[in-house]
Amino acid sequence: MSEFNAVTPIFRVSYPNVFKPKFNSLSKKEEFSIQALYKKGENLDVLKKAAHNACVKKWGENPAKWPANLKNPFRDQKERAKEGVIPDGCEEGAIFMTYKSDAQPAVRDASSTTFITEPSKFYAGCYARASVYAMAYDVNGGRGVTFLLNHLQFAGDGKPISGRPSIEDAFQPIEGAIDATSVF
C-alpha cells in the first residue's frame, strides 16, 4: 500500500450511499459515500498517518508552513446532534469520518469472497471496514484533508440505524376485534 492508502479499523456504518450515488450539493455532482462511526477511544493512527502524509505531499515537511484552519476529517460525533440531541448510536468524544468516491466502491462480505450487491445486506447500523486514500486539497478557498473511498468489507450485523422507531416500538396490540365498516 502507498503512504496515502489505509484500511480502517472496524466502524459502525451510517448513511451508506454505496449502491447508488447521491447528489452532493457542495460538489454539485453525484457521488458514493459512507459515514464511519468509530467507538470512543478507537486507535485511528493509521488514518492519521495517511492524512499527515497527504499534507506533507501537498504543503511540504514543515507543518508550520501549512495553511491555517485546515478542515479536519476526524470529527466528533457530537457534531451530528440535532437540537442538542446526539443521535442514537453516537457518543460525544467518539470520532466519525465521511468517505466519498466518484466511482462505486466494491462491497465484500466478511470472508472477502462474495460481493454484496443488496442494500439490505449492507445497511446503516452494520459494521464494516474500508479501504481509503488520503488526499490533501486546496480548492476554492477550502483547504484540508479528505479520504476517498476505495472499497468496503462487511464485518458484521448490528442494530439498524434509522430515523423511525422499530415496528415493535411503533405499535401496541389491538384489543378486541374491529368492525371495519364502523370505522370508515
Side-chain angles (χ1 to χ4, degrees):
M1 282 201 168
S2 85
E3 60 192 318
F4 311 108
N5 283 307
V7 173
T8 69
I10 292 174
F11 58 85
R12 190 158 186 219
V13 170
S14 184
Y15 297 106
N17 298 304
V18 298
F19 297 106
K20 182 179 173 188
K22 186 175 181 181
F23 182 75
N24 181 322
S25 58
L26 293 175
S27 67
K28 306 284 190 238
K29 62 183 179 179
E30 297 273 318
E31 47 187 33
F32 296 91
S33 63
I34 191 167
Q35 282 190 359
L37 304 176
Y38 291 100
K39 66 183 180 193
K40 194 171 189 171
E42 183 68 63
N43 182 342
L44 301 175
D45 288 349
V46 67
L47 296 170
K48 290 176 182 177
K49 182 176 181 184
H52 176 82
N53 290 340
C55 287
V56 167
K57 179 181 179 187
K58 183 81 171 170
W59 296 296
E61 290 284 337
N62 185 352
K65 294 184 178 182
W66 297 353
N69 301 321
L70 290 176
K71 186 174 178 189
N72 187 348
F74 302 90
R75 299 170 55 196
D76 191 314
Q77 290 177 16
K78 181 181 177 185
E79 290 180 38
R80 298 184 72 203
K82 299 227 188 316
E83 298 176 9
V85 178
I86 298 175
D88 202 21
C90 291
E91 179 180 10
E92 184 174 347
I95 299 298
F96 83 95
M97 298 178 72
T98 301
Y99 306 130
K100 298 178 183 180
S101 177
D102 292 339
Q104 184 174 8
V107 182
R108 291 275 191 139
D109 65 0
S111 67
S112 199
T113 58
T114 305
F115 285 103
I116 296 174
T117 58
E118 184 61 41
S120 65
K121 304 288 185 196
F122 192 86
Y123 54 91
C126 75
Y127 291 87
R129 62 184 183 163
S131 166
V132 295
Y133 180 86
M135 183 182 79
Y137 63 89
D138 185 349
V139 180
N140 299 327
R143 296 175 179 103
V145 175
T146 190
F147 283 87
L148 304 177
L149 178 61
N150 294 320
H151 304 292
L152 293 155
Q153 183 180 27
F154 176 83
D157 286 311
K159 180 181 176 190
I161 299 172
S162 77
R164 59 183 176 186
S166 69
I167 193 161
E168 294 80 13
D169 293 338
F171 297 111
Q172 297 298 318
I174 297 173
E175 300 294 328
I178 294 178
D179 179 6
T181 59
S182 67
V183 174
F184 298 103

